[in-house]
Amino acid sequence: MKIAFIGQKGIPTKSGGVERHVEELALRLRREGHAVTVYGRQSYGLPKESFYKGVRVLAVPSISTKNLDAITATFLGILHILFHSYDVVHFHSIGPASLAWIVRLLKRRTVIIGTFHSQDYDHAKWGWFAKKYLHFGEYVMCTVPHKTIAISRSMRRYAFKKHGKHTVYIPNGCNAQPIDSEKALQRYGLKKQRYLLSVSRLVKHKGIHFLIEAFKRLEDTNKIPNNFKLVIVGTSSQTDEYVKYLKFISRGRKNIIFTGEKSGVALREIFSHAYAFVQPSMAEGLSIALLEAMGYGLAPLVSDIVENKEAIGECGFEFRSGNTDSLQEKLAYVLNKPKEVERVAKLAQKRALTEYHWDAIAKKTGSLYREVWKERFGQKLKNNRTQLVKLGTHNS
């Protein structure tokens, strides 16, 4: 198959759950013998054309502002798609999916797939017009593609209730790779099992401000072990004012550490040696960072939104979303119950590696492509071997 992914910022991933999702799928589908193209954005720091482990990455220009970056990059990517041959075009996220109708209308021999990652209009960074447009994008996501994937069961139920759409449940996954080295820990003065970890984009709906306030209260009442730290990994997503606010409320607190964006070995080290993982978000799709933390064997403490509860099952701790008092209480419990944390961590790891493995997720996605193609066009898809030979010369 010739497969195009569109809507994401690009690969290799620097940050973002959608980008991680696309990277994990694209690499596995390429290894299965498919010709895969990922449309990215030059604003993500990508060259116009590159190859990443055999996957072609085409970066298009965009108007790099909060409201226009994704939609302008998607439109220009679609213009390129219209003049090239793909068997499958796979849209990611409801904003980019708002333009999926163009490809469906003009590329009649192409299967259109959409992945519904989250209800993005719930994110605090958007203004009223952007929220309205994202509602439209959700409608398109749930009606225009030949098949729509929902990454959580709760989102699948929502799509049917709201739009009467029968979506296909294929979740996000985890790719935990524990590591013994501790260079990143040394850089930030961290010790193994002596820090809480949170990994996310620094945007308001992720609720990092609740976590900081709860941690500060415990410090001020001497309910945190001596020199125990809170590590926050992530960076702004065109939310610089919120990041400034987080650092303002953390000033003078040497045990609250902002590492900025991390990836590769450094991120693996930070995941591998944490005591527990905290996710205080008020809105999610199905958090890859949370699944990764579970895969690394970290006990999760999460806000009690439906998506977080679905991810952890019975293998974690919960607090009331948006409630600092509740978070403070549960943080104190987790910090003072190391044996219980260890027990829950083992259960969480088993759940992550069993329920959310990227290899199985990629196979389900590839099978869906073939099923839809056969359903639409009455024949099986074949790999384009000539294209694969060409792509294979660019492996990196």
Side-chain angles (χ1 to χ4, degrees), residues 116 119 142 150-169 305-307 309-310:
F116 191 176
Q119 294 162 284
C142 291
I151 64 167
S152 69
R153 291 185 174 90
S154 59
M155 194 168 294
R156 187 169 188 252
R157 291 191 294 269
Y158 168 81
F160 181 74
K161 183 177 180 180
K162 178 73 174 180
H163 303 286
K165 178 72 172 186
H166 288 282
T167 57
V168 179
Y169 167 66
I305 61 174
V306 173
E307 294 81 4
K309 293 171 70 172
E310 178 179 326

Side-chain angles (χ1 to χ4, degrees), residues 71 94-101 121 129-144 163:
I71 199 67
I94 59 176
S98 65
L99 301 179
W101 60 271
Y121 43 78
F129 182 79
K131 289 177 184 287
K132 289 288 186 183
Y133 188 81
L134 288 169
H135 275 285
F136 168 70
E138 176 184 284
Y139 171 77
V140 175
M141 171 67 83
C142 291
T143 55
V144 168
H163 303 286

Side-chain angles (χ1 to χ4, degrees), residues 3 33 48 57 60 71 83 105-107 115 124 128 144 152 181 311 317 330 338 356 378:
I3 303 163
K48 290 183 179 179
V57 182
V60 298
I71 199 67
F83 292 95
L105 180 66
L106 299 177
K107 300 286 284 185
T115 292
W128 70 270
V144 168
S152 69
S181 59
F317 307 97
K330 288 301 176 71
Y356 302 107

Side-chain angles (χ1 to χ4, degrees), residues 2-20:
K2 294 182 185 177
I3 303 163
F5 290 99
I6 189 166
Q8 61 288 320
K9 296 172 186 174
I11 63 170
T13 305
K14 297 177 183 178
S15 63
V18 174
E19 286 67 37
R20 173 61 61 194

Side-chain angles (χ1 to χ4, degrees), residues 28-71:
R28 285 167 173 77
L29 289 168
R30 173 65 184 88
R31 289 199 293 268
E32 287 183 6
H34 305 295
V36 182
T37 298
V38 171
Y39 284 86
R41 307 174 197 172
Q42 292 178 16
S43 61
Y44 199 55
L46 299 173
K48 290 183 179 179
E49 182 175 11
S50 59
F51 286 82
Y52 178 62
K53 298 183 179 180
V55 174
R56 183 170 66 152
V57 182
L58 297 179
V60 298
S62 62
I63 300 174
S64 187
T65 64
K66 180 175 69 175
N67 290 317
L68 297 176
D69 189 38
I71 199 67

Side-chain angles (χ1 to χ4, degrees), residues 277-345:
F277 184 82
V278 187
Q279 173 130 301
S281 48
M282 296 176 284
E284 286 290 347
L286 184 66
S287 170
I288 291 177
L290 172 57
L291 299 179
E292 292 273 292
M294 293 166 63
Y296 275 94
L298 299 182
L301 169 59
V302 303
S303 56
D304 62 353
I305 61 174
V306 173
E307 294 81 4
N308 285 344
K309 293 171 70 172
E310 178 179 326
I312 68 171
E314 301 298 320
C315 309
F317 307 97
E318 300 172 14
F319 68 93
R320 294 194 299 280
S321 179
N323 189 306
T324 306
D325 293 337
S326 178
L327 177 52
Q328 177 185 344
E329 179 184 341
K330 288 301 176 71
L331 273 179
Y333 178 86
V334 167
L335 288 168
N336 288 283
K337 297 287 185 178
K339 290 185 178 180
E340 177 67 3
V341 167
E342 183 179 0
R343 183 189 71 82
V344 170

Side-chain angles (χ1 to χ4, degrees), residues 39 76-86 106-107:
Y39 284 86
L76 292 176
I78 286 173
L79 291 183
H80 187 274
I81 285 170
L82 293 180
F83 292 95
H84 293 80
S85 175
Y86 293 107
L106 299 177
K107 300 286 284 185

